[in-house]
Amino acid sequence: MRFSRIAASINESATLRLNQIAARLRAEGEPVVHLGGGEPEEKASPAALQAAMDLLRTGEIRYTPAAGTPELRKTIVEYHERVYGVRVEPSHVIASSGAKQAIMVCMHAVLDPGDEVVFPAPYWVSYPEMVKLCGAVPVAVPPRDASMQPTLSDLEARVTPRTRMILINSPCNPSGAMFSDEFIRGVVRLCEDREIWLVIDDIYHQLVFDGRQPPNPYVEARRNPDESRLVLVNGVSKTYAMTGFRLGWAVAARTLVTHMASIQGQQTSGASTVSQAAAAAALRGDQGCVERLRASLERKRGIMLESLSALPQVHCAPPQGTFYCFPDFGQYERDSQKLSDFLLEKVRVVTVPGREFGLDGHLRLSTCGTAEDIIEGVRRIVWALDPHGGRELRLGSRTVVRDW
């Protein structure tokens, strides 16, 4: 059978594959600890659940406009002004089936084959594959040091005449690093001056720790949104623990949104009617659930870092946001895929290899689960890597004997 070059070039999502492996092992009764997940354990926004149930009871579950319902787009406008201090119009907003689709239709709207997209490493696993789906070329910018903070000069050095887009995710999946105000302002200026599209994936913008405030990219953006190259992507998946609703959005110039809506209309039509109603309710409703989630994640970050301190050769820059950390296990094993496979096979702990994020030697560990899972998962990792950890380890109802 013959398949397209794009199909042959795209890799399976590592995180989704590991979710499937964890689910299968649990179904088989294995005592798996999943430290590779990307969705919080907390329940979805109560306001969102109520709105979804109310709509379902009407039985009126119909198509919506490709760019989203008027209600949701208006609510996103209000949310955008509340969070970023910038007033836009509903015509600047497109709602999609997740922030991932919003980024994807944006790429389809502006990229031609051979164009380049620049983004810092470590990066979310999907970015390079999404770029390749457009026939474009992903260009990763490696970090300069263990802080995982990119420098503007390093980023600018990767910009060429073929650079059509720069993609920024801060706080960052997988490292939890939040990029500085100076860096974000510099990238905005660079893109506005050179007419490069700047997509800011702000999906974790409210899950920030230690009293910090995330940088506001609009400080340096052109005042008229129809003249700006800034595309702000967000969604309800992370902040409102609504991953399964698959609802995200982008705020951008009207002309870009128009093209994105045309593409999305041919791909999937509008996002789910139920998900749009739920998202609008979450954005308008009591925001206490967001702070409770943020505080819980900050607490579990501390538990993760304290647990990892039992491995003195593992370095981990403290995450400033998200629900991940990205420790460097290179002193034990530079091949992160080999290490991840070893931990899954020997002690049934699911981790995500750093290679998938553009930085080998690291593992992405999640704080999405319970504190007990974090403590138990790291306990198993410590035993597996510490030669003085003893001969036996209790895993659920059975005992594993060290034979390596």
Side-chain angles (χ1 to χ4, degrees), residues 20-81:
Q20 293 170 356
I21 291 173
R24 175 178 57 79
L25 289 173
R26 281 175 174 159
E28 294 170 356
E30 294 287 343
V32 174
V33 175
H34 195 353
L35 296 184
E39 52 187 353
E41 62 166 333
E42 284 76 8
K43 303 299 183 185
S45 159
L49 297 175
Q50 187 62 54
M53 289 187 288
D54 290 345
L55 180 58
L56 286 169
R57 288 191 187 99
T58 71
E60 295 291 329
I61 314 302
R62 309 299 184 192
Y63 289 131
T64 72
T69 63
E71 177 198 21
L72 177 58
R73 294 173 84 186
K74 180 176 181 292
T75 303
I76 291 170
V77 166
E78 295 166 355
Y79 178 85
H80 199 77
E81 184 173 21

Side-chain angles (χ1 to χ4, degrees), residues 368-397:
C368 286
T370 65
E372 291 74 20
D373 276 350
I374 295 169
I375 293 168
E376 173 62 14
V378 177
R379 179 182 79 91
R380 297 183 189 185
I381 293 173
V382 170
W383 180 81
L385 298 181
D386 182 0
H388 307 295
R391 187 168 182 271
E392 297 183 348
L393 177 72
R394 190 75 174 169
L395 296 187
S397 61

Side-chain angles (χ1 to χ4, degrees), residues 79 82 206 240 281-292:
Y79 178 85
R82 185 169 79 238
Q206 293 204 58
Y240 295 92
L283 296 177
R284 289 194 312 264
D286 179 10
Q287 302 299 296
C289 62
V290 176
E291 173 54 25
R292 288 191 292 274

Side-chain angles (χ1 to χ4, degrees), residues 42-322:
E42 284 76 8
K43 303 299 183 185
S45 159
L49 297 175
Q50 187 62 54
M53 289 187 288
D54 290 345
L55 180 58
L56 286 169
R57 288 191 187 99
T58 71
E60 295 291 329
I61 314 302
R62 309 299 184 192
Y63 289 131
T64 72
T69 63
E71 177 198 21
L72 177 58
R73 294 173 84 186
K74 180 176 181 292
T75 303
I76 291 170
V77 166
E78 295 166 355
Y79 178 85
H80 199 77
E81 184 173 21
R82 185 169 79 238
V83 172
Y84 300 101
V86 173
R87 181 76 183 182
V88 296
E89 300 298 325
S91 55
H92 294 118
V93 176
I94 178 172
S96 302
S97 298
K100 180 186 280 189
Q101 188 186 25
I103 296 172
M104 194 74 250
V105 292
C106 178
M107 288 182 175
H108 278 303
V110 304
L111 296 177
D112 284 319
D115 287 343
E116 295 174 351
V117 179
V118 177
F119 45 82
Y123 44 74
W124 182 38
V125 294
S126 291
Y127 289 159
E129 310 309 309
M130 293 165 77
V131 173
K132 288 189 284 185
L133 278 170
C134 298
V137 180
V139 179
V141 182
R144 186 163 286 192
D145 56 39
S147 71
M148 304 292 171
Q149 291 280 349
T151 67
L152 184 61
S153 59
D154 287 345
L155 189 88
E156 192 169 4
R158 300 312 198 280
V159 172
T160 75
R162 298 202 69 93
T163 302
R164 185 75 168 151
M165 178 185 290
I166 292 177
L167 179 54
I168 300 294
N169 173 219
S170 172
C172 171
N173 173 6
S175 69
M178 187 168 69
F179 303 159
S180 68
D181 288 305
E182 180 183 10
F183 175 78
I184 295 296
R185 287 197 300 267
V187 176
V188 174
R189 286 195 299 269
L190 170 68
C191 291
E192 298 282 35
D193 290 345
R194 300 199 188 183
E195 298 189 342
I196 298 169
W197 290 103
L198 172 58
V199 177
I200 293 192
D201 180 355
D202 224 17
I203 195 72
Y204 299 100
H205 76 295
Q206 293 204 58
L207 304 181
V208 173
F209 308 143
D210 306 318
R212 293 183 174 90
Q213 292 297 317
N216 186 343
Y218 287 95
V219 171
E220 291 291 335
R222 291 175 185 162
R223 288 185 175 275
N224 185 344
D226 289 315
E227 297 175 357
S228 177
R229 291 303 180 111
L230 177 60
V231 182
L232 202 292
V233 176
N234 216 318
V236 295
S237 291
K238 312 300 185 180
T239 302
Y240 295 92
M242 292 171 61
T243 52
F245 281 85
R246 308 309 309 131
L247 199 292
W249 63 83
V251 177
R254 282 186 182 91
T255 51
L256 176 57
V257 168
T258 299
H259 288 302
M260 290 171 66
S262 296
I263 294 167
Q264 184 165 285
Q266 297 296 348
Q267 286 181 336
T268 60
S269 301
S272 158
T273 307
V274 176
S275 294
Q276 292 191 64
L283 296 177
R284 289 194 312 264
D286 179 10
Q287 302 299 296
C289 62
V290 176
E291 173 54 25
R292 288 191 292 274
L293 173 59
R294 191 209 63 77
S296 172
L297 293 170
E298 183 171 339
R299 177 179 63 85
K300 289 188 286 186
R301 175 199 61 169
I303 293 170
M304 177 69 80
L305 293 176
E306 182 179 357
S307 299
L308 286 171
S309 67
L311 290 170
Q313 295 187 72
V314 171
H315 173 76
C316 183
Q320 297 166 311
T322 76

